[in-house]
């Protein structure tokens, strides 16, 4: 589904809402986030380089994620996270590369060997109906990891505020049979999608509206939730 400019994001630590351009400033003043950093540093003497990465759908920048990733994590961990929160539908192949036409990077590469502040990788999932994600390093910090996992979520775009084109109530489905002026599937509320969900025709199809750029692609139907 085509989207507009990037949507505001929700902080995973305080629930505050901010724009992509204000994330770094927000986190610097986010009391729960800063407290979590201090607690992690007190809890263990183990230190790592933590990479602040932004994953953004290359074609629909409405969708974006900010992640704190340990330098010792591997590209495999990042691939797993993106699949779980955004992409996985049919166990398609995926790859990382330096740009769309760059050489493929092995999944065993540690994060610290492929990212530095300002650098960007491209992640492609599914080489038929492809989902392309641009991943940019916004900065680094040195300290303890915030969680036992290699990746911690910092921010995520707000869920799309889709409205049923029939009644303007919040939409929870996209109708594959209903096309708007821009030739895109139209959003439908639960009531106005029921006729298609209950249709005897096997070709009738509605797709649940979830917070993912892969909605309507291949067999994707969510749940668009973080793996941890």
């Amino acid at each position: 589904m085509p989207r507009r400019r990037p949507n505001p994001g929700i902080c995973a630590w305080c629930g505050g809402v901010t724009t992509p351009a204000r994330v770094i400033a927000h986190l610097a003043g986010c009391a729960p986030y800063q407290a979590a950093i201090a607690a992690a540093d007190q809890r263990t003497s183990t230190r790592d380089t933590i990479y602040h990465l932004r994953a953004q759908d290359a074609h629909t920048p409405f969708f974006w994620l900010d992640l704190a990733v340990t330098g010792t994590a591997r590209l495999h961990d990042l691939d797993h996270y993106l699949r779980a929160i955004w992409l996985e539908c049919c166990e398609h192949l995926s790859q990382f590369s330096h740009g769309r036409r760059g050489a493929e990077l092995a999944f065993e590469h540690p994060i610290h060997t492929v990212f530095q502040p300002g650098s960007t990788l491209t992640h492609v999932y599914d080489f038929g109906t492809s989902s392309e994600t641009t991943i940019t390093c916004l900065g680094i910090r040195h300290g303890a990891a915030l969680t036992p996992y290699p990746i911690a979520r910092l921010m995520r775009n707000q869920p799309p505020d889709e409205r049923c084109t029939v009644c303007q109530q919040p939409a929870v489905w996209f109708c594959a049979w209903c096309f708007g002026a821009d030739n895109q599937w139209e959003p439908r509320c639960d009531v106005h999608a029921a006729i298609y969900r209950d249709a005897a025709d096997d070709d009738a199809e509605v797709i649940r509206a979830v917070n993912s750029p892969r909605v309507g692609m291949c067999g994707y139907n969510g749940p668009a939730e973080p793996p941890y």
Side-chain angles (χ1 to χ4, degrees), residues 152-174:
R153 184 163 47 98
L154 301 175
M155 288 266 180
R156 184 182 187 179
N157 68 273
Q158 288 180 315
D161 183 21
E162 303 288 357
R163 296 285 166 164
C164 177
T165 53
V166 177
C167 65
Q168 295 303 305
Q169 292 300 306
V172 292
W173 304 93
F174 285 107

Side-chain angles (χ1 to χ4, degrees), residues 162 170-174 187-190 197 207-210:
E162 303 288 357
V172 292
W173 304 93
F174 285 107
R188 290 285 189 268
C189 67
D190 209 43
R197 294 201 315 276
I207 302 295
R208 185 170 294 278
V210 295

Side-chain angles (χ1 to χ4, degrees), residues 36-58:
I37 291 175
D41 285 343
Q42 290 180 353
R43 187 168 55 246
T44 178
S45 60
T46 301
R47 296 291 183 264
D48 201 340
T49 301
I50 312 299
Y51 290 75
H52 181 169
L53 302 183
R54 173 165 296 166
Q56 190 164 37
D57 184 75

Side-chain angles (χ1 to χ4, degrees), residues 75 94-98 102-109 114 121-122:
L75 287 177
S94 59
Q95 75 170 39
F96 290 94
S97 61
H98 288 292
E104 181 177 356
L105 296 169
F107 276 31
E108 292 306 307
H109 274 306
V114 293
L121 294 186
T122 296

Side-chain angles (χ1 to χ4, degrees), residues 10 24 39 46 73-74 93 132 141 153 181 189 198 201 224-225:
I10 301 173
I24 292 176
T46 301
R74 298 183 181 274
L93 296 175
E132 184 177 326
R141 71 174 178 85
R153 184 163 47 98
C189 67
D198 300 336
D201 188 341
E225 296 294 336

Side-chain angles (χ1 to χ4, degrees), residues 27 33 48-55 65-73 78 110-119 135-146 150-154:
L27 292 174
Y33 175 65
D48 201 340
T49 301
I50 312 299
Y51 290 75
H52 181 169
L53 302 183
R54 173 165 296 166
L65 300 164
D66 275 26
L67 306 169
V69 185
T70 61
T72 51
L78 188 53
I111 293 297
H112 72 85
T113 66
V114 293
F115 282 108
Q116 59 184 353
S119 63
I135 306 164
T136 303
C137 180
L138 301 185
I140 60 175
R141 71 174 178 85
H142 300 283
L146 295 174
I151 298 175
R153 184 163 47 98
L154 301 175

